[in-house]
Amino acid sequence: MEAIRERAQRNRLTVAYDGDQLVGCSTVRPPSEETPAATVIVRVLPAYRRQGFGSEMYAGELAAGRALAESVETIVLEPNQDGLRFALAHGFVEFERYVHEGATWTTLRLADR
């Protein structure tokens, strides 16, 4: 529980709604000793994808990430091909892949800086 409290104070956590319907959420993590980039993660529920919600959420979170660091990364779980396509379409390039607790994650770095 203490780790959750610490992350909630360190990271920017946002929940997005369309009216009273949950659309998705996002996280902006500041740079750390392990990762010099800010990490921006936007998650949109499948029913709300390809309607502009992700792009709108991403724009705000990208601005927050850029205020924290010169470079911005995102992380996508391998089965989430929609998320991977979204990241690539928004200028991210694959930086590394790693396996954690049996799941493969892709880290992508924004290429425009």
Side-chain angles (χ1 to χ4, degrees):
M1 194 58 150
E2 186 59 35
I4 292 169
R5 283 190 193 103
E6 188 274 326
R7 274 187 247 139
Q9 293 195 14
R10 176 179 35 126
N11 299 337
R12 172 182 160 134
L13 308 168
T14 306
V15 179
Y17 291 90
D18 181 23
D20 60 353
Q21 293 296 310
L22 177 67
V23 170
C25 63
S26 60
T27 304
V28 177
R29 292 185 210 148
S32 67
E33 291 179 12
E34 297 143 6
T35 305
T39 302
V40 173
I41 301 170
V42 173
R43 302 165 204 86
V44 177
L45 294 170
Y48 294 95
R49 292 179 185 161
R50 299 177 192 242
Q51 298 176 45
F53 293 110
S55 294
E56 187 173 334
M57 291 169 60
Y58 169 70
E61 303 305 12
L62 178 61
R66 284 187 166 153
L68 296 171
E70 288 201 24
S71 61
V72 175
E73 293 180 351
T74 193
I75 301 169
V76 180
L77 183 60
E78 186 174 272
N80 182 0
Q81 292 301 302
D82 286 340
L84 187 57
R85 277 190 293 275
F86 181 89
L88 293 170
H90 284 84
F92 286 86
V93 294
E94 186 173 332
F95 180 69
E96 72 176 340
R97 286 181 187 240
Y98 61 96
V99 177
H100 178 70
E101 296 181 2
T104 300
W105 299 85
T106 302
T107 301
L108 300 106
R109 187 164 284 160
L110 193 57
D112 71 350
R113 281 200 170 185

